[in-house]
Amino acid sequence: MLDSVKIARRQSEIRQQLAGLVGKDKPTEDETRSMETLDGEYRTNETRYRAALVAEDQERREAGADLETRSDREFAELTSRFELRQVALSLDEGRALSGATAEVVEELRSKGGYQGIPVPLAALETRAGETVAADQINPKVIRPIIDRIFPGSVAERLGIQRINIAQGELAFPVATAGAVFGWQTNELANVGAASPFKTTERSLTPDHTGGAQMVISRKALKQAGDGLEQAIRRDMNAVIGAELDRVVINGSGAAGQPLGIIPGAAAYGIASTSVGDTASWAAFRAQIVAFMQANAITSASQINLGFAPTIWAELDDALVGGTATSEWDRLTKQVGSPAISNTIPLETAIMTATVQGIAPGYLGIYGGVDLIRDPYTKAQSGQLVLTGLVTADFTAPRGMQTRILTGIGAP
């Protein structure tokens, strides 16, 4: 306890004692001496109190500075200790949440409505195993679960930025027209006709919700160890990530899906060029030149490029006449290593550039994963069905930052 607080409490006690003594009409000699003693102590404590405040000033400043940044840091620390196993047991057995898990769930509930138990996206990241009781009987060695195979994130390689939105709609105003430059035709002439500054909006809205579902068997729920939690974490993280990656590229904009880059090329103002020839460095170079002519980039290395594996095979197989250099070698020398993924359709390539710090596209994710239980569908076998709901949307603010090439390698 701070010295200033201790002194303040003692001062309060002295005032109470003096109030009782002063109210007497004929105090005794002992009471008179007591009043003098308490009065002297009170005056001394006033001096000590002011000195304590001065001495503790720096400590209070440091504490205040710590409080200003403690909220985000503490929540990140709580999220790092979030146990998905507690969520599974709560949904299966009704067991109460505790510790950091309970605090994180309560914080998420206070920020938005959830039908089930809210789970922060950060908690789905693969991390070191949770603490497990060391005295569990384990008659045999259980090796780690072998995960399913999912593609790497091609959207991230293309420079698409993920942003988290608490609630509401997020709009990006994009300038489409503005000032013009003109020369005087004579000494008194106007320099040019004024042009209005115009903008258009690209918006992210919470209109698209999808769900990742899985069935957890009773045997899996009763197994000791953290293997189940890690497997659930990795599997949900991978399947959600793979689907978000797909809709960024190929989202139809219908049946609940966001509108992706390729189906939404016309809506986003993205140029699409039909190559109609074998894959070559020259085809990609022509689009890089178009980026440069639009003042979007100044170097080929600023381009992000992605295409299907068949295009890589064609580029690697095509040798420049009389040399051992392939078209792939020429491409990677200028652009770097492209993203190769089956997420991008066959005979199609996507080229993007980050211009003036603005990403070529934004994937907005609303809140965390809303984890909902279904104990009835598989009740006859004691299985638990979990659904993780995710609300997300995608938009491309400026079409000039993206180009699509089609018909690459087409006969």
Side-chain angles (χ1 to χ4, degrees):
M1 184 182 297
L2 296 175
D3 289 338
S4 60
V5 177
K6 294 178 181 179
I7 295 172
R9 289 185 177 180
R10 177 55 184 161
Q11 294 292 76
S12 179
E13 293 173 359
I14 292 174
R15 286 194 296 270
Q16 291 178 358
Q17 296 178 23
L18 285 173
L21 295 174
V22 171
K24 294 185 178 182
D25 295 334
K26 296 180 180 180
T28 64
E29 293 182 0
D30 291 337
E31 289 173 339
T32 302
R33 284 194 299 270
S34 179
M35 282 190 287
E36 293 175 352
T37 302
L38 291 172
D39 181 62
E41 182 182 355
Y42 190 89
R43 289 196 300 270
T44 302
N45 284 347
E46 283 295 306
T47 304
R48 292 180 57 219
Y49 181 73
R50 290 193 295 272
L53 290 178
V54 173
E56 293 163 3
D57 179 66
Q58 183 61 30
E59 185 176 349
R60 292 176 186 272
R61 291 174 184 268
E62 293 175 355
D66 183 60
L67 286 173
E68 290 177 359
T69 59
R70 183 176 295 174
S71 178
D72 292 341
R73 186 172 67 250
E74 285 187 347
F75 186 74
E77 292 173 355
L78 286 174
T79 302
S80 68
R81 301 199 306 274
F82 189 93
E83 295 183 358
L84 202 58
R85 181 172 59 255
Q86 285 196 39
V87 177
L89 292 175
S90 175
L91 295 175
D92 180 49
E93 304 173 1
R95 184 178 300 182
L97 301 178
S98 62
T101 303
E103 293 186 45
V104 171
V105 169
E106 190 64 28
E107 179 68 18
L108 288 175
R109 285 192 188 281
S110 68
K111 300 299 182 182
Y114 293 90
Q115 297 180 29
I117 298 179
V119 179
L121 281 175
L124 295 180
E125 297 174 355
T126 303
R127 62 174 188 250
E130 311 295 348
T131 303
V132 183
D135 58 350
Q136 293 291 322
I137 298 175
N138 192 3
K140 62 181 179 180
V141 176
I142 305 295
R143 303 305 299 172
I145 295 175
I146 299 176
D147 297 336
R148 295 187 293 164
I149 296 177
F150 288 94
S153 176
V154 65
E156 182 178 344
R157 295 283 300 277
L158 289 175
I160 305 302
Q161 184 176 341
R162 297 191 183 197
I163 56 178
N164 196 274
I165 306 171
Q167 59 188 13
E169 181 177 341
L170 189 63
F172 297 89
V174 181
T176 57
V180 294
F181 191 94
W183 294 97
Q184 284 183 321
T185 56
N186 57 65
E187 184 178 355
L188 301 178
N190 197 334
V191 295
S195 174
F197 186 85
K198 297 181 180 179
T199 62
T200 185
E201 285 188 357
R202 301 293 190 189
S203 300
L204 293 172
T205 60
D207 297 332
H208 310 283
T209 297
Q213 292 185 306
M214 65 173 64
V215 178
I216 305 175
S217 68
R218 185 170 179 82
K219 174 185 176 181
L221 287 169
K222 300 304 179 184
Q223 282 182 330
D226 63 349
L228 174 63
E229 175 179 351
Q230 294 295 333
I232 292 174
R233 187 193 310 278
R234 292 191 301 265
D235 206 62
M236 291 196 76
N237 183 39
V239 75
I240 291 173
E243 179 58 19
L244 291 178
D245 216 36
R246 187 194 69 81
V247 297
V248 165
I249 304 298
N250 296 313
S252 64
Q257 299 182 20
L259 185 61
I261 292 175
I262 294 177
Y268 296 135
I270 296 174
S272 181
T273 303
S274 178
V275 176
D277 199 355
T278 58
S280 66
W281 159 239
F284 294 107
R285 182 178 57 199
Q287 297 305 311
I288 292 175
V289 170
F291 271 109
M292 292 178 174
Q293 290 174 338
N295 296 322
I297 62 171
T298 56
S299 170
S301 61
Q302 295 175 260
I303 288 293
N304 303 310
L305 175 61
F307 43 65
T310 53
I311 295 179
W312 166 81
E314 194 169 344
L315 287 167
D316 189 60
D317 189 53
L319 299 179
V320 179
T323 70
T325 302
S326 67
E327 294 290 340
W328 173 256
D329 296 329
R330 299 178 68 191
L331 174 67
T332 54
K333 181 180 179 181
Q334 299 292 336
V335 176
S337 180
I340 303 174
S341 173
N342 283 326
T343 304
I344 302 175
L346 296 175
E347 302 176 359
T348 302
I350 298 176
M351 304 177 72
T352 66
T354 299
V355 182
Q356 298 172 341
I358 304 300
Y362 290 98
L363 175 62
I365 300 176
Y366 285 80
V369 177
D370 193 356
L371 195 61
I372 300 175
R373 66 175 299 204
D374 177 8
Y376 306 110
T377 304
K378 304 289 185 179
Q380 67 274 19
S381 58
Q383 298 179 71
L384 175 65
V385 180
L386 294 181
T387 302
L389 296 178
V390 178
T391 300
D393 194 14
F394 173 79
T395 189
R398 288 191 298 211
M400 64 173 291
Q401 294 181 229
T402 303
R403 288 180 176 271
I404 300 173
L405 279 71
T406 60
I408 301 178

